[in-house]
Structures are given as structure tokens and as C-alpha cells.
Amino acid sequence: MFKIGKIFFWTIGKQVVAVNTNGFKISINILWAIIFGWEYFLAYAVVGLILCITIIGIQFGKRYFKLAMFIITPLGHDFQ
């Protein structure tokens, strides 16, 4: 959760990239996605869509889409 919180404030100009993971991180990502990740992913995607309705909110909507991709499997992605 600290990684997600830190990334939330520094997403401008960064891209979500996949990183190499070992078996332990993959199993933790699957567990995270099943228990918590899908809810957060859905929430960030819906908020991103709502923000993209206005011209001013498009940049924030894009940020939420980046976070939605990151939040479904936080140990398998990173920002660069």
C-alpha cells in the first residue's frame, strides 16, 4: 500500500512497465488481485472515466488509468 501511495503522487511523466517477477511475487499478485485488486482496479477505472468527461479532468483521468493498470498487480509493474 505504501508503494501505491507513493506512486499516486508521482505519476506525471511516468509510464507503467512490467518487471520480471519470481514465483513468490506472482502468487502474491494473484492473491492480491482476487481479494483486493479487482475492487481497486474497478474504482480507479470508473473514476478515470468520470474525470475524462470534462476537458480539465482528462489529465487526471489518464493518471487514474495508469494507476488502474498498476494497482491490479503492484508487484509485477513499476513506474519509469
Side-chain angles (χ1 to χ4, degrees), residues 37-69:
W38 69 272
E39 296 168 345
Y40 288 122
F41 174 81
L42 188 62
Y44 277 101
V46 168
V47 170
L49 285 172
I50 292 170
L51 286 171
C52 285
I53 291 173
T54 64
I55 293 174
I56 295 171
I58 290 174
Q59 65 182 356
F60 298 109
K62 287 181 181 180
R63 183 182 298 181
Y64 272 86
F65 290 137
K66 283 185 203 177
L67 287 168
M69 288 185 346

Side-chain angles (χ1 to χ4, degrees), residues 3-61:
K3 185 176 180 181
I4 294 167
K6 182 181 82 171
I7 295 296
F8 184 78
F9 292 109
W10 301 106
T11 58
I12 297 174
K14 298 188 182 231
Q15 298 296 322
V16 177
V17 294
V19 295
N20 293 332
T21 57
N22 56 16
F24 178 72
K25 286 184 180 181
I26 291 172
S27 62
I28 296 297
N29 275 333
I30 291 170
L31 188 64
W32 168 263
I34 291 171
I35 296 174
F36 301 111
W38 69 272
E39 296 168 345
Y40 288 122
F41 174 81
L42 188 62
Y44 277 101
V46 168
V47 170
L49 285 172
I50 292 170
L51 286 171
C52 285
I53 291 173
T54 64
I55 293 174
I56 295 171
I58 290 174
Q59 65 182 356
F60 298 109

